Structures are given as structure tokens and as C-alpha cells.
Amino acid sequence: MADTRIPTVIADDVHVVYKVQGAGGGRGSATSALSRIVSRRERPGVREVHAVRGVSFVAYKGEAIGLIGSNGSGKSTLLKAIAGLLPTAAGRIYTDGQPSLLGVNAALMNDLTGERNVMLGGLAMGMTKQQIQERYQEIVDFSGINEKGDFISLPMRTYSSGMAARLRFSIAAAKSHEVLMIDEALATGDARFQRRSQQRIEELRKEAGTVFLVSHGIGTIRETCDRAIWLESGVLRMDGPTKEVCDAYEAFTRKK
């Protein structure tokens, strides 16, 4: 029987390599820097990190996919590559529509108010001013940041990390996405906000979207996702139903 599901993301033997500054890589003099440019030598201490190694999978409309793995396993790097923020060193990524990446470190303007950031964030996602205005109160209420005061009118720099993460998710959740990628954004916030977030993810799936979720909390993956992808040292170790993959991962971590 033919597979009638509609693909939204195809990763075909994807490799991601990036360079980081290691120990001993001091600035050096302008003369030595110019010499390196002319000779095309690398700065001392720069090393390459092969963060994703030959990963292949197909994601479909209506799926919620959890990415699990140890710290440094390549989960966030893979999401950035899908979003087009990191180039692939080899392999290809094909996407249907524009993927949206929401991470706890996603930049908001700290010197601007939460209200202004809602407007800018909505515009950045392609919403019109009218759409943002119509959904503005819903976004603020969903985030819960005004429950203990008028924080939405204060600069973002006055927010706790949890408040900022909740506002980011609330802005992103106000719009339907073909592909929404969430990087640890649900790790901050109380149980009530996490329940609201999980309900919204379920709504996005019903609207024929695809959701990727990175979380160190396996419980969140189990409750939110129907499929899980396990990465370890940049290699895809397992891809399948959430319970099977999470059980295998937890057995692996117990042995370490």
C-alpha cells in the first residue's frame, strides 16, 4: 500500500561541521593575522567539530518528533541546519515551507518592552500588524507573564529567563507553522504553562504542521511527541515510536 503521508522535512545523509576556538588560540598580532590570511592558514587553536554525522530521516505533516540524546549529541545543531541557520558540510535538507526555530536563546531585544517584542516577533514570523493586534492579548495571557504585575510594559532585561522563554513560545504559538522547532523552550515554566504548551503543540499538529521538540526532560518528550529521534555523538542511533526510543535511551544512560 502506498504511503499517503505528506513529507515536510527530508534529511539526506546530513553532515554538519563547524569551527570553534580552542585553548591556546590567543588573538595574536595584526601582522600574524594578516600572514594567516595571505597564507590561508587557520588561527592557532581553531578546531573543527563534526557535530552531525550522516543523519537521514523523513518527517511528515501532523507529527510531533522529539529529539533526545546526551549533551553535545548534535540535537540543537541539527535543528539549526533544518532552519537554514547552519550550512551542511555534506548531504541535503529539503523542507516544505519555511521552518521556524524557537529556542531559549532566541534573540529578543532586551532594551525594548515585552509589548514591543511581541510586535517585532510577530512581524518576523510573517504576521501582519493587524493579525498581531488581534492576537496580542491572547499572546500575553498565554505567556502568563502579567499574572504578577504589568511586566509586558517593562523592558525585556527585567524578565527572568523563564518569563522570557514563555513569551518567546507564546509569540511563536500564535501562528500556525508548517514546521515549528522548539529547542528547550518548554523546560522553563511551571506545570500549568507546560500543559498549555503541550495543548498548543497538539493543535499545531492538527493544523497539519510538524513539530520538532528538543528537551532534556524525557517526560516532556513522552507526553508531547508520538515519534522520537535519538542522536548520540552526532549519529542517529534510533528513530521510531516515542516509548520504544525513550526506553532504549534511558537504558543506555543507566549503563553509562
Side-chain angles (χ1 to χ4, degrees):
M1 184 177 178
D3 191 342
T4 58
R5 295 177 298 172
I6 301 175
T8 54
V9 177
I10 300 174
D12 180 15
D13 194 25
V14 171
H15 293 256
V16 180
V17 179
Y18 58 85
K19 296 176 182 179
V20 296
Q21 181 71 49
R27 290 188 174 185
S29 67
T31 302
S32 63
L34 179 59
S35 175
R36 285 195 300 273
I37 292 171
V38 172
S39 63
R40 297 188 177 181
R41 287 185 288 114
E42 295 286 356
R43 176 189 291 274
V46 172
R47 63 188 181 91
E48 285 191 343
V49 176
H50 199 159
V52 176
R53 301 169 178 266
V55 170
S56 297
F57 66 85
V58 180
Y60 298 92
K61 283 190 175 183
E63 285 190 313
I65 302 171
L67 293 181
I68 62 175
S70 307
N71 287 338
S73 60
K75 305 183 297 294
S76 297
T77 300
L78 179 59
L79 288 192
K80 290 176 182 176
I82 294 172
L85 301 177
L86 283 177
T88 58
R92 297 290 300 273
I93 295 175
Y94 306 90
T95 61
D96 179 23
Q98 177 59 49
S100 302
L101 175 60
L102 170 70
V104 290
N105 295 321
L108 292 181
M109 304 294 287
N110 278 333
D111 290 331
L112 299 181
T113 64
E115 179 179 9
R116 187 63 178 155
N117 273 291
V118 169
M119 294 297 295
L120 292 176
L123 290 171
M125 290 194 305
M127 297 169 65
T128 66
K129 286 186 178 181
Q130 182 177 347
Q131 288 174 328
I132 300 166
Q133 290 167 352
E134 291 171 352
R135 302 174 194 180
Y136 173 79
Q137 195 58 50
E138 177 185 338
I139 292 170
V140 176
D141 291 344
F142 190 99
S143 71
I145 64 172
N146 261 12
E147 291 176 356
K148 296 182 179 180
D150 186 23
F151 283 96
I152 196 67
S153 64
L154 296 178
M156 287 287 300
R157 63 173 179 271
T158 65
Y159 291 14
S160 68
S161 59
M163 290 169 63
R166 294 200 304 273
L167 186 59
R168 288 187 189 97
F169 181 84
S170 301
I171 295 169
K175 178 179 182 291
S176 296
H177 302 265
E178 291 92 350
V179 179
L180 176 62
M181 297 174 289
I182 306 167
D183 190 354
E184 287 295 341
L186 305 188
T188 53
D190 57 20
R192 184 172 57 163
F193 177 76
Q194 291 183 12
R195 285 194 299 271
R196 289 202 302 266
S197 302
Q198 289 164 5
Q199 289 169 359
R200 180 56 183 142
I201 288 174
E202 186 63 29
E203 291 171 3
L204 287 169
R205 290 174 58 192
K206 290 177 180 177
E207 293 165 5
T210 303
V211 178
F212 288 88
L213 175 62
V214 169
S215 177
H216 289 298
I218 292 296
T220 301
I221 298 293
R222 288 183 182 273
E223 293 171 6
T224 308
C225 303
D226 53 353
R227 174 182 171 188
I229 291 176
W230 171 17
L231 296 179
E232 205 63 49
S233 300
V235 177
L236 194 156
R237 289 284 297 267
M238 191 173 179
D239 177 2
T242 298
K243 184 180 185 306
E244 294 179 14
V245 178
C246 288
D247 286 349
Y249 174 68
E250 289 181 323
F252 170 79
T253 56
R254 286 194 294 269
K255 294 177 182 178
K256 292 179 67 175

